[in-house]
Amino acid sequence: MTDPTAQRLQTDIVISGGGVAGLVAAAAFGSAGFRVLCVDPTPPVTEEGAAGADMRTTAFLHPSRTVLERAGLWARLAPHAAPLQVMRIIDAGGDTPVARLTRDFDAADLSDEPFGWNFPNWLLRREMVARLAELPLVDFRPGVATTGLVTRDSGAEVTLSDGTRITAKLVIGADGRNSFVREAAGIAVKTTRYGQKALVCAVTHDLPHENVSTEVHRSGGPFTLVPLPDRDGVPSSAIVWMERGPEAERLAELPPAEFEAAMTERSTGVLGPLTLVTRRALWPMITQIACRFSAQRVALIAEAAHVIPPIGAQGLNMSLADLRCLLDLAEKDPGHLGEAAMLNTYHRRRWPEVKAREVGIDLLNRASMLEPRPLRDLRAGALGALYALKPVRKTLMKAGLGVR
Ligand SMILES: Cc1cc2nc3c(=O)[nH]c(=O)nc-3n(C[C@H](O)[C@H](O)[C@H](O)COP(=O)(O)OP(=O)(O)OC[C@H]3O[C@@H](n4cnc5c(N)ncnc54)[C@H](O)[C@@H]3O)c2cc1C
């Protein structure tokens, strides 16, 4: 039975999910003049040391910056950015874990701007929540989940866990890999499991990173060091260490001194001895893509639509490309927000692009996981050959950034 005391609201857009993608979407649509309600059952954790803090970092690649600018976020974030000038790839697939092939992809080959900028996720949440508080058109409700969705041609009716019912022209599913909105809209997903986990933490080191992001390939998956701003005057980097599940779990439980020794060896010592300065967190690795990115009055963005392993900083950058596409369509024709033609165009523009990236990242991940020595030798040979051809090198860099 319907509760007669429950609130009934009307808005332009309901965003289900206030992870990094949902928060940027709320800021972007709110800045563009749309009325937005954004909900998330888990209130954002905005301090590094607090329980439940997201220990990952996000490298925003160049094209994402314009989206952050449109959302009024870039000016807040810029002072905390660690620029990424060079992407270094090391192959350490020989008998011992030493660098046997090193190749640098330098952003200077493309423009005088860096490839992107890296930020801790807890800091992103802090700045994004502060931005939403400035926007009169955005109603952000942490601690509340989306629990019901009924759609019609004329609009969507959303029910929240606090009993509120809202009608909206558009519902954006930004509620992560197990998206409620995706399921309620009846959209299926295709999932590939790798039996792999990513271990993430932050470290300090004696040698400066000089804005170089380094990916070391041996077996089990890539080991990546991404630049962070100095920590109390000491150079610092984020670690993303992908390994087969049991090995990642063993590493996560090692006493700190043994873990530091293992990390330093796996990094080929490229930045000197590594010192652990945060807790370690594990993330299961999957590739997942929704069969459609839209349904009646519904658009899926970010991990609700696609999940890929964290290689080449693609995940959230693809999510901001989803957002840019949806925002462009909405701004161009606000009178038809959330109608079938708009959402079909969104699906048609984004799905093939995401699928192509998913295939590419899946291949790179499988190549990095290789155990047999001859195949690892082949991998090193392919990297050397591709790198040697300057036009191919530039094309790869542009493809990685998502620019043409
Ligand atoms: C180790 C690692 C490193 C990464 N590094 C990078 C990188 O450098 N660059 C990059 O671009 N990407 C990176 N990624 C990917 C990036 O972190 C993700 O794409 C991004 O965090 C996902 O954001 P999201 O908002 O879609 O999902 P989530 O962060 O999972 O947010 C979903 C939110 O929805 C909420 N929710 C769930 N159910 C409901 C409901 N019923 N109602 C309302 N809300 C709900 C959840 O509480 C959650 O807060 C990395 C990923 C990993 C695992």
Side-chain angles (χ1 to χ4, degrees):
M1 208 170 79
T2 312
D3 174 2
T5 60
Q7 291 181 54
R8 279 164 196 269
L9 300 175
Q10 267 199 339
T11 191
D12 294 326
I13 302 171
V14 169
I15 299 177
S16 178
V20 173
L23 293 174
V24 182
F29 280 100
S31 302
F34 294 94
R35 290 172 300 156
V36 176
L37 184 116
C38 176
V39 294
D40 194 309
T42 315
V45 180
T46 55
E47 284 170 49
E48 185 186 52
D54 184 346
M55 301 312 294
R56 293 173 297 175
T57 66
T58 297
F60 286 116
L61 300 176
H62 213 266
S64 291
R65 179 172 154 171
T66 48
V67 184
L68 295 170
E69 280 166 350
R70 285 168 78 180
L73 284 163
W74 181 248
R76 287 183 161 277
L77 295 176
H80 308 286
L84 307 178
Q85 183 59 35
V86 172
M87 303 273 198
R88 177 166 297 156
I89 299 190
I90 295 179
D91 191 283
D95 287 334
T96 53
V98 293
R100 58 175 181 169
L101 182 91
T102 301
R103 293 292 181 267
D104 282 359
F105 294 82
D106 192 334
D109 285 349
L110 296 182
S111 79
D112 51 9
E113 294 263 26
F115 284 119
W117 300 268
N118 197 37
F119 303 89
N121 280 13
W122 62 265
L123 184 142
L124 291 174
R125 284 191 169 81
R126 185 185 75 194
E127 296 303 320
M128 289 169 182
V129 170
R131 172 65 183 149
L132 295 190
E134 295 174 345
L135 292 168
L137 293 178
V138 178
D139 180 357
F140 175 46
R141 299 193 183 183
V144 176
T146 311
T147 52
L149 174 69
V150 178
T151 63
R152 298 186 185 81
D153 248 1
S154 55
E157 186 171 299
V158 177
T159 310
L160 304 180
S161 55
D162 63 1
T164 308
R165 287 166 66 192
I166 313 139
T167 52
K169 293 174 190 159
L170 172 65
V171 176
I172 299 182
D175 43 5
R177 52 184 72 184
N178 302 314
S179 169
F180 170 85
V181 168
R182 188 183 66 222
E183 216 154 272
I187 301 175
V189 286
K190 189 166 175 286
T191 310
T192 307
R193 295 177 200 285
Y194 300 99
Q196 211 185 8
K197 287 192 173 161
L199 192 160
V200 297
C201 59
V203 295
T204 54
H205 34 83
D206 298 340
L207 300 177
H209 50 59
E210 288 169 336
N211 302 334
V212 178
S213 178
T214 305
E215 220 169 77
V216 185
H217 298 269
R218 181 163 167 75
S219 62
F223 176 100
T224 311
L225 290 141
V226 195
L228 285 174
D230 286 357
R231 220 179 156 91
D232 302 323
V234 184
S236 179
S237 294
I239 302 285
V240 182
W241 186 352
M242 285 164 60
E243 274 292 353
R244 290 180 195 278
E247 175 61 0
E249 279 157 25
R250 184 188 74 81
L251 291 164
E253 292 303 321
L254 280 181
E258 283 177 45
F259 178 67
E260 286 169 350
M263 257 192 309
T264 303
E265 181 181 81
R266 185 65 173 76
S267 72
T268 70
V270 65
L271 293 176
L274 303 176
T275 306
L276 181 66
V277 290
T278 60
R279 66 183 175 82
R280 290 162 265 182
L282 285 173
W283 291 83
M285 291 295 98
I286 59 167
T287 288
Q288 180 169 281
I289 184 163
C291 298
R292 277 193 66 84
F293 287 178
S294 68
Q296 190 177 54
R297 295 283 167 185
V298 167
L300 302 179
I301 67 165
E303 291 209 337
H306 45 75
V307 186
I308 53 166
I311 299 177
Q314 296 293 309
L316 199 63
N317 287 282
M318 276 158 55
S319 309
L320 295 197
D322 300 341
L323 172 56
R324 187 172 53 233
C325 177
L326 204 52
L327 186 62
D328 285 347
L329 291 168
E331 282 196 303
K332 199 169 144 215
D333 195 2
H336 293 98
L337 180 69
E339 292 184 4
M342 181 179 287
L343 293 177
N344 285 338
T345 306
Y346 170 67
H347 168 73
R348 261 199 330 272
R349 286 194 187 160
R350 287 304 298 150
W351 198 89
E353 152 82 20
V354 167
K355 182 68 191 168
R357 265 170 213 277
E358 185 212 86
V359 169
I361 295 293
D362 176 70
L363 273 173
L364 288 176
N365 189 31
R366 289 180 194 280
S368 187
M369 287 177 81
L370 292 171
E371 291 290 344
R373 176 65 198 277
L375 294 179
R376 298 196 316 213
D377 292 347
L378 211 62
R379 177 182 73 201
L383 170 62
L386 286 174
Y387 185 88
L389 301 165
K390 197 166 181 191
V392 176
R393 189 159 87 227
K394 278 195 173 183
T395 305
L396 285 176
M397 286 194 277
K398 285 185 181 167
L401 284 176
V403 296
R404 290 176 211 289

